[in-house]
């Protein structure tokens, strides 16, 4: 039987937080980074910094005018995205984790409780909802990153406005169901297969979490909005809260935040999609085939050195391919043929002629 690791302890503290001692915000952020590293492997060190800054920012929501969503995604199961969300939820303010919610349930929860929301299984969360309910979910996610956003609904004989500004992390496999508008509100955290960290058990870290929650809430009392430098460009709104936390922390955290912002942006969708499209055309030219199995096409794309690997190096997957769109947004679907899912050359011809030089 494998021994269970003991709960965390805090040096100089027996677990009694009746008389905690405030520490510098930079120290708290560093401790969160080290805590996160125990359970999660990221390709980039700056991703751990991003996690710490986002968690800290949730404790000061009344200060912010905008708050960027996080999109914690992976090309396949088993990359640690749910564990990352669980670690963050443990330390975030008033966290609420859910894998299923309706539109009305979502905006009423935010309006009544002001939670930090972790929406898991996004690959089904956004494809499951359609019609009016889907519109409401998208309205809440897309509008609620900005203070003052409301959803108005008729209740009885009255029009009731529900405030929907909240911190939200979206968690799931990127299968193309997240709209471009939603992506523009999100900072991507792209998980990849890799070395496993310690197994995360929330109840073993309650003492540490309680202290971090207290330290962050105490630090939030002094937080103010800081003006971002020009380098953030169009992403300024979604990074404002995190940058302001970094300015308050000092001790190198501004540079760490700027590095994280540079490392965690969306690719040039049109340019990257065109390069992938070119690689697909090359496959049909080389094979002289009229169709290709989806698994063979993924292997071909992953073997190429000249195209952007949108989710991470060598991490394109069948799920990613199913969500791929041509530069004009066309979603070309696979079909089943002789027991295999295949893509047909004829379905790509219009995109080839439109976007690729002869």
């Amino acid at each position: 039987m494998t021994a269970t690791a003991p709960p965390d302890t805090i040096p100089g503290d027996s677990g009694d937080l009746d008389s905690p001692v405030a520490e510098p915000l930079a120290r708290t952020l560093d401790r969160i980074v080290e805590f996160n590293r125990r359970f999660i492997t990221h390709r980039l060190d700056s991703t751990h910094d991003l996690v710490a800054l986002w968690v800290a920012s949730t404790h000061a929501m009344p200060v912010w005018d905008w708050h960027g969503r996080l999109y914690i995604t992976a090309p396949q199961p088993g990359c640690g995205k749910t564990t990352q969300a669980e670690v963050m939820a443990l330390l975030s303010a008033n966290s609420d984790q859910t894998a299923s919610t309706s539109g009305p349930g979502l905006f009423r929860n935010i309006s009544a409780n002001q939670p930090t929301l972790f929406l898991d299984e996004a690959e089904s969360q956004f494809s499951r909802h359609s019609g009016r309910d889907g519109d409401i979910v998208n309205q809440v996610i897309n509008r609620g990153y900005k203070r003052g956003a409301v959803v108005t609904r008729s209740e009885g004989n009255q029009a009731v406005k529900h405030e929907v500004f909240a911190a939200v992390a979206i968690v799931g496999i990127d299968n193309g169901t997240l709209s471009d508008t939603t992506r523009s509100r999100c900072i991507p955290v792209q998980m990849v297969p890799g070395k496993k960290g310690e197994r995360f058990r929330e109840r073993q870290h309650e003492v540490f979490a309680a202290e971090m929650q207290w330290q962050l809430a105490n630090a939030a009392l002094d937080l103010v909005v800081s003006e971002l430098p020009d380098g953030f460009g169009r992403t300024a709104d979604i990074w404002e809260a995190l940058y302001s936390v970094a300015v308050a922390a000092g001790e190198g955290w501004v540079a760490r935040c700027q590095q994280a912002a540079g490392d965690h942006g969306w690719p040039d969708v049109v340019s990257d999609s065109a390069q992938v499209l070119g690689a697909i055309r090359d496959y049909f030219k080389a094979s002289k085939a009229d169709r290709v199995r989806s698994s063979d096409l993924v292997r071909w794309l992953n073997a190429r050195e000249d195209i952007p690997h949108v989710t991470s190096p060598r991490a394109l997957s069948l799920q990613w391919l199913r969500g791929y769109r041509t530069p004009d947004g066309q979603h070309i679907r696979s079909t089943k043929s002789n027991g295999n899912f295949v893509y047909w050359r004829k379905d790509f011809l219009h995109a080839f002629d439109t976007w690729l030089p002869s």
Side-chain angles (χ1 to χ4, degrees), residues 196-214:
K196 300 290 186 182
E198 295 178 33
R199 187 172 183 183
F200 179 69
R201 299 175 186 269
E202 180 178 338
R203 62 186 176 83
Q204 293 180 350
H205 311 291
E206 292 173 351
V207 174
F208 176 80
E211 191 202 1
M212 292 298 96
Q213 293 264 359
W214 186 91

Side-chain angles (χ1 to χ4, degrees), residues 6 13 19 22 43 61 86 114 125 131 138 148 158 189 193 202 207 257 261 263 283 290 293 358:
D13 192 305
S19 302
R43 284 191 305 118
M61 291 302 291
E86 290 172 346
Q114 293 81 53
Q125 189 87 257
N138 281 306
Q158 294 184 326
V189 175
E202 180 178 338
V207 174
C257 180
D263 290 340
Y283 177 89
D290 63 351
R293 290 190 303 182
S358 58

Side-chain angles (χ1 to χ4, degrees), residues 65-144:
D65 294 317
W66 294 274
H67 197 269
R69 279 76 173 87
L70 278 194
Y71 184 25
I72 306 172
T73 185
Q76 62 191 51
C79 294
K81 59 188 182 301
T82 297
T83 302
Q84 178 63 92
E86 290 172 346
V87 172
M88 295 178 70
L90 180 68
L91 306 177
S92 296
N94 192 28
S95 63
D96 184 349
Q97 295 176 268
T98 180
S100 178
T101 185
S102 66
L106 186 61
F107 69 71
R108 289 195 173 98
N109 182 17
I110 293 173
S111 183
N113 302 313
Q114 293 81 53
T116 298
L117 277 175
F118 291 83
L119 301 178
D120 205 352
E121 299 182 12
E123 66 273 16
S124 57
Q125 189 87 257
F126 286 88
S127 58
R128 181 190 308 123
H129 297 288
S130 60
R132 185 174 178 80
D133 191 50
D135 289 343
I136 295 172
V137 170
N138 281 306
Q139 286 177 30
V140 173
I141 298 300
N142 293 339
R143 295 180 185 175

Side-chain angles (χ1 to χ4, degrees), residues 233-279:
R234 291 181 298 173
T235 66
D237 290 351
I238 61 175
W239 279 92
E240 183 177 86
L242 280 64
Y243 183 79
S244 298
V245 172
V247 170
E251 297 187 24
W253 271 96
V254 169
R256 291 166 73 170
C257 180
Q258 291 174 316
Q259 181 66 50
D263 290 340
H264 297 83
W266 295 103
D268 182 333
V269 175
V270 172
S271 174
D272 289 353
S273 178
Q275 287 182 270
V276 172
L277 187 66

